Amino acid sequence: MNSIFKLITNQQIPETANALVPVIGYEPWSLRALESIKSSIVNGVPTLIRVHSAADYPIENEELSHRLDMESHCVLIVGYNDDKEEFDIVDPWNPNWGGQHGGVGKLPYESLHVACVNCTAEKGTRLSLISHKIRPVLIEENASLAVDLGFYEPLGYVIDRNNTKFETFKVTIHYLFNGNEKQQSQSLSGEWKIGEKAIFTFPLEKELSGDIDVRIEVLATLSSDRPYQYRDNICMDFTETVKINRSSGVSQKESVISSINASNY
């Protein structure tokens, strides 16, 4: 008796988190920079960039104006339109400070490499949930649920790949079995850098079948040495529906089906 698993993103139960995970991407080629940002948006991950601001964000206070010119101003790229060749941005600028910026705006593709503080190079910070993937695992006739955790990795180059890392993970899963809530927790400590995954495997009851809603809680410690030292705790919560069909005469190769990745912001 083998099992077929299928994971369905539960759209009615949103993912929640107390923070987002930063990954700094870098792409020196103009067209590849555009495609990298658009790819992240398709994956539900916005990009934070710093823009030259002295001319476009005037403020009356000379000291603050000089500081703004030196440090620039951040905007968040949240969408794009290939027909109009422009990005949708969210600008946190307060109009009371001077100038007309603030709210939702547009940034033409051709202006990205001029407006961005890195000029001809795109350097943007991707802000995502902890990257997570749910995988079905079948060892002989024993069914398990695997949870892969790590960083979102954008197209192109990644800055500080080896300086940013997860140090701990605690994963707890909840689901109903015969009307009773089941809970399992596992913890791991170590170092998982950008491009690496922490893998958890949770055994499931052999009698489980049908659509099972599994709620997954993640508590992680994230640290980095650059651009400054920090260590933060991040928690998130999401739900997936695991569909378990039990049938006889199914080969083990056929009984392991790739899961649909849990969507990211």
Side-chain angles (χ1 to χ4, degrees):
M1 183 76 72
N2 289 330
S3 303
I4 295 178
F5 285 57
K6 183 177 181 182
L7 299 184
I8 305 170
T9 300
N10 193 326
Q11 301 291 348
Q12 296 181 347
I13 304 177
E15 299 168 316
T16 61
N18 71 335
L20 297 175
V21 179
V23 173
I24 303 175
Y26 173 79
E27 183 53 73
W29 302 99
S30 299
L31 292 178
R32 294 199 325 204
L34 293 173
E35 293 307 313
S36 177
I37 293 175
K38 290 192 289 184
S39 172
S40 294
I41 292 171
V42 169
N43 290 327
V45 178
T47 299
L48 188 72
I49 64 170
R50 291 194 302 151
V51 296
H52 291 293
S53 50
D56 294 329
Y57 296 82
I59 51 180
E60 296 178 357
N61 184 300
E62 183 176 353
E63 181 180 351
L64 292 178
S65 181
H66 177 72
R67 178 178 174 181
L68 178 65
D69 189 26
M70 295 294 292
E71 298 181 357
S72 354
H73 175 61
C74 287
V75 298
L76 190 66
I77 301 177
V78 296
Y80 69 91
N81 186 321
D82 276 339
D83 293 332
K84 296 183 178 180
E85 296 188 343
E86 61 186 16
F87 289 110
D88 299 316
I89 64 171
V90 175
D91 192 333
W93 186 260
N94 187 333
N96 294 328
W97 299 336
Q100 302 301 317
H101 295 271
V104 178
K106 305 293 182 181
L107 178 67
Y109 290 174
E110 64 182 5
S111 297
L112 174 69
H113 313 290
V114 177
C116 194
V117 292
N118 300 91
C119 296
T120 57
E122 179 271 318
K123 179 183 176 184
T125 302
R126 271 48 174 202
L127 300 174
S128 76
L129 293 173
I130 298 172
S131 179
H132 47 286
K133 180 179 180 180
I134 314 303
R135 297 183 293 109
V137 177
L138 187 64
I139 302 174
E140 296 179 351
E141 294 185 2
N142 298 315
S144 299
L145 195 66
V147 181
D148 298 353
L149 301 171
F151 291 93
Y152 171 78
E153 192 166 5
L155 293 178
Y157 302 100
V158 173
I159 297 178
D160 295 330
R161 178 182 291 274
N162 294 321
N163 292 310
T164 304
K165 56 186 177 292
F166 285 107
E167 295 182 345
T168 65
F169 284 106
K170 180 181 179 180
V171 179
T172 303
I173 68 170
H174 306 261
Y175 59 92
L176 292 178
F177 177 62
N178 290 337
N180 298 314
E181 180 176 342
K182 295 292 183 177
Q183 175 179 311
Q184 299 184 45
S185 294
Q186 295 181 21
S187 298
L188 287 176
S189 297
E191 287 189 0
W192 295 271
K193 299 175 182 178
I194 298 171
E196 301 174 342
K197 301 295 182 184
I199 301 174
F200 294 80
T201 303
F202 296 91
L204 302 175
E205 288 80 359
K206 289 185 177 181
E207 296 81 3
L208 270 177
S209 63
D211 292 347
I212 309 298
D213 287 337
V214 182
R215 183 166 63 88
I216 302 171
E217 299 173 345
V218 180
L219 176 62
T221 301
L222 172 69
S223 70
S224 183
D225 298 325
R226 289 181 24 146
Y228 55 86
Q229 289 187 338
Y230 68 85
R231 177 173 284 100
D232 289 317
N233 292 323
I234 296 178
C235 63
M236 64 177 294
D237 185 302
F238 62 99
T239 298
E240 295 291 343
T241 299
V242 182
K243 187 177 183 64
I244 305 177
N245 294 327
R246 299 188 177 276
S247 59
S248 59
V250 180
S251 70
Q252 183 166 337
K253 181 178 180 180
E254 292 173 328
S255 66
V256 180
I257 296 180
S258 296
S259 66
I260 299 175
N261 289 357
S263 60
N264 287 333
Y265 284 115

